[in-house]
Amino acid sequence: MRLLPYASLLLATACVPLGTPITSTNPATTSAQKAPEYYADKTLRYQDYTYSPDVRSVQCYVATGQPNEVFQPPVVPLGRSQAITLEFDVLGDQSQRYTAKLLHCDANWQQSVLTDLQFLNEINEFLITDYRVGINTRVPYFHYRMRAPGVKLSGNYLLVVQSAGGVPVVSRRLVVYENQVQVLLKPGIVVGGAERYTLQQLDFGIAYPSVNLVNPAAEVKVVLRQNFRWDNAKYNLRPTFVRDNERRLDYQYFGFENAFPGLSEYRYFDTRSVQAPGIGVLRVDPQTTPVTAILQPEATRAKQAYNQYQDANGQRVFESREYGRGDTNADYADVTFQLKAEQPAPGPVYVFGALTDWQLKDDFKLTYDEAKQLYTGRALLKQGYYNYSFAVGGARGSVPNEVYFEGTHQETENQYDLLVYYRPPGTRADLLIGYQTVTMNNRQ
């Protein structure tokens, strides 16, 4: 799901939990609501996570100098890790001192036993000195930016931003790869009945003509992702054929192990202007502090035919139509989501996407009004262009159910990538020895 050429000039976003307060010394922007209790738990999580209700609009991407660089996931070849950029806002009218560190992780995203000097050439503490105040915004904030340090090994890394005392503020997963093997990833054809209209299958193999892999059937680990998400990634996929003579691993499944729901193109709205409603916005009130924006009431798409348009695969960008740059010129708006439903869903309903770190956050949980047959929820979001979906929560640890409200179609445009890990004998690090991306139903 890619952006139209003109859309690349429009976009901008931010992530803000529904119902969280704006903590600031400015009484006009202070909410009486209590911050969600989970923010009280500062335990470091080896995932994309935000630990403070004051931290908003986190973006982690590869700086390419192109207009849509914020859509590039933090995945780089070895030698280019310093191109990964982390940006975030901190609400309030006082700047804070933040430092960052890098943690090396194994293929399962647990911290490895490597010492800092084994993967870094410098002291593992980086003071964030690039920060600027929001300009003429009703909601005061400071915008922080940093580049990831250079690393010596491929694999998984967790970039952690800390406040005074080593308390985590933001964590983001980074991936550094090298092309030791050839990754053969391509769109496949679903072998099934109705599933061929709703699922998207990825066929893949791994060729290793110039590298010796010891016991590759057991030691090579692969991860298959949709739209660079970790929440619904496919793990523990084992090769079905090991062709030693050809030095190749084949992964051929018949139980949809390598298939994902195609879903639908993501919903979207545009709050780049505070003077007039943008696309997807019902009305905007620029006189309030913060500015309020009520989105158009949405409806289920579960039984609708596929509707083709170009989107940003659940991502967002930040921008102000009136003042330009989104990093310091975009203000925050109190955004109300609306979803029409004749009856409650079989579980709690959430706004879902990059704006929620691809997690079902209580801050983004919607409330159902039986009399109005309407789900509603509010979030403080930075001006921009947003993609999102509605998801239904299930059992703890289960993949969010986007199909219930969004439907699923084989025709949907999605991006997929495959990560190939291997730990050489006698070493203590899972190296990322291969990486490949492919677009399903590419519109270009």
Side-chain angles (χ1 to χ4, degrees):
M1 312 171 206
R2 297 186 180 275
L3 298 169
L4 291 170
Y6 68 82
S8 65
L9 304 176
L10 330 171
L11 307 189
T13 358
C15 76
V16 174
L18 293 162
T20 53
I22 309 172
T23 52
S24 167
T25 56
N26 182 351
T29 61
T30 301
S31 169
Q33 287 183 288
K34 182 181 178 181
E37 293 183 0
Y38 67 77
Y39 283 122
D41 183 1
K42 304 300 183 182
T43 303
L44 179 64
R45 295 162 173 81
Y46 291 85
Q47 63 185 94
D48 295 344
Y49 204 85
T50 303
Y51 302 82
S52 168
D54 293 339
V55 176
R56 308 293 176 103
S57 310
V58 182
Q59 289 182 305
C60 191
Y61 60 92
V62 177
T64 62
Q66 300 301 313
N68 291 332
E69 64 180 6
V70 294
F71 298 141
Q72 300 299 317
V75 181
V76 293
L78 187 62
R80 289 203 60 224
S81 57
Q82 289 177 299
I84 297 178
T85 299
L86 174 67
E87 298 188 54
F88 60 94
D89 293 341
V90 179
L91 301 184
D93 49 19
Q94 295 292 328
S95 62
Q96 305 291 328
R97 182 183 187 275
Y98 294 109
T99 60
K101 66 178 181 180
L102 204 60
L103 303 180
H104 182 269
C105 299
D106 62 19
N108 296 318
W109 288 102
Q110 300 297 315
Q111 187 172 0
S112 73
V113 296
L114 297 186
T115 64
D116 293 346
L117 290 179
Q118 289 178 297
F119 61 88
L120 284 175
N121 285 318
E122 51 195 322
I123 297 175
N124 196 3
E125 184 177 59
F126 308 92
L127 178 64
I128 302 179
T129 58
D130 185 355
Y131 62 91
R132 290 168 293 165
V133 65
I135 301 173
N136 296 324
T137 59
R138 301 186 188 188
V139 176
Y141 66 87
F142 279 81
H143 181 77
Y144 293 79
R145 176 189 285 120
M146 72 164 293
R147 289 287 182 93
V151 298
K152 297 188 290 187
L153 296 176
S154 64
N156 293 340
Y157 292 89
L158 188 75
L159 182 62
V160 182
V161 176
Q162 300 174 323
S163 61
V167 178
V169 173
V170 174
S171 58
R172 281 298 182 271
R173 290 178 171 182
L174 318 180
V175 175
V176 179
Y177 68 90
E178 50 189 324
N179 291 313
Q180 294 188 28
V181 298
Q182 299 174 10
V183 181
L184 313 170
L185 178 66
K186 64 179 182 179
I189 299 176
V190 175
V191 179
E195 289 85 0
R196 68 179 184 272
Y197 302 110
T198 62
L199 299 182
Q200 294 180 340
Q201 179 171 301
L202 286 304
D203 294 337
F204 59 94
I206 300 169
Y208 50 101
S210 58
V211 60
N212 291 322
L213 301 181
V214 179
N215 192 15
E219 299 301 327
V220 171
K221 299 178 181 179
V222 299
V223 178
L224 184 62
R225 299 192 300 174
Q226 181 188 58
N227 294 328
F228 311 113
R229 293 166 50 177
W230 292 103
D231 65 292
N232 65 345
K234 304 285 188 180
Y235 295 88
N236 302 317
L237 298 174
R238 294 299 181 183
T240 51
F241 297 98
V242 180
R243 306 182 188 277
D244 290 328
N245 293 337
E246 301 176 28
R247 302 178 69 82
R248 172 180 170 130
L249 304 176
D250 283 336
Y251 296 76
Q252 300 178 9
Y253 303 104
F254 302 95
F256 310 124
E257 293 93 337
N258 55 339
F260 293 79
L263 302 175
S264 298
E265 311 297 348
Y266 281 88
R267 302 174 193 262
Y268 52 87
F269 66 90
D270 183 354
T271 56
R272 288 171 299 147
S273 174
V274 297
Q275 301 300 324
I279 189 169
V281 179
L282 180 63
R283 59 181 178 271
V284 60
D285 186 351
Q287 304 303 318
T288 60
T289 300
V291 172
T292 56
I294 299 177
L295 303 187
Q296 295 280 359
E298 298 285 339
T300 181
R301 301 188 290 179
K303 297 182 180 180
Q304 294 182 1
Y306 172 69
N307 183 16
Q308 178 179 326
Y309 54 87
Q310 302 220 10
D311 65 1
N313 283 345
Q315 297 297 320
R316 72 270 198 268
V317 295
F318 308 117
E319 186 185 9
S320 168
R321 275 286 182 89
E322 286 76 26
Y323 302 107
R325 296 181 53 162
D327 49 2
T328 56
N329 291 341
D331 208 340
Y332 278 82
D334 187 356
V335 178
T336 297
F337 293 87
Q338 302 187 84
L339 173 62
K340 295 182 288 186
E342 295 181 356
Q343 59 187 13
V349 178
Y350 301 81
V351 174
F352 188 68
L355 76 169
T356 71
D357 293 339
W358 299 106
Q359 299 167 17
L360 298 182
K361 294 187 174 181
D362 289 341
D363 309 59
F364 285 88
K365 187 176 180 179
L366 304 182
T367 301
Y368 186 68
D369 186 322
E370 190 170 359
K372 296 181 179 180
Q373 295 185 332
L374 186 70
Y375 280 100
T376 58
R378 295 167 55 193
L380 185 69
L381 296 172
K382 199 173 188 179
Q383 284 182 268
Y385 172 92
Y386 287 76
N387 275 189
Y388 71 100
S389 66
F390 294 109
V392 179
R396 180 180 294 273
S398 62
V399 176
N401 182 2
E402 296 175 83
V403 175
Y404 185 85
F405 283 113
E406 306 301 342
T408 179
H409 308 275
Q410 189 278 332
E411 301 95 330
T412 304
E413 188 271 337
N414 286 301
Q415 290 178 291
Y416 293 90
D417 63 347
L418 186 74
L419 302 92
V420 182
Y421 298 91
Y422 175 70
R423 178 176 295 191
T427 66
R428 301 184 296 172
D430 290 327
L431 303 179
L432 184 52
I433 61 173
Y435 179 76
Q436 186 61 267
T437 64
V438 68
T439 300
M440 182 79 73
N441 300 317
N442 196 343
R443 309 302 185 204
Q444 295 184 347

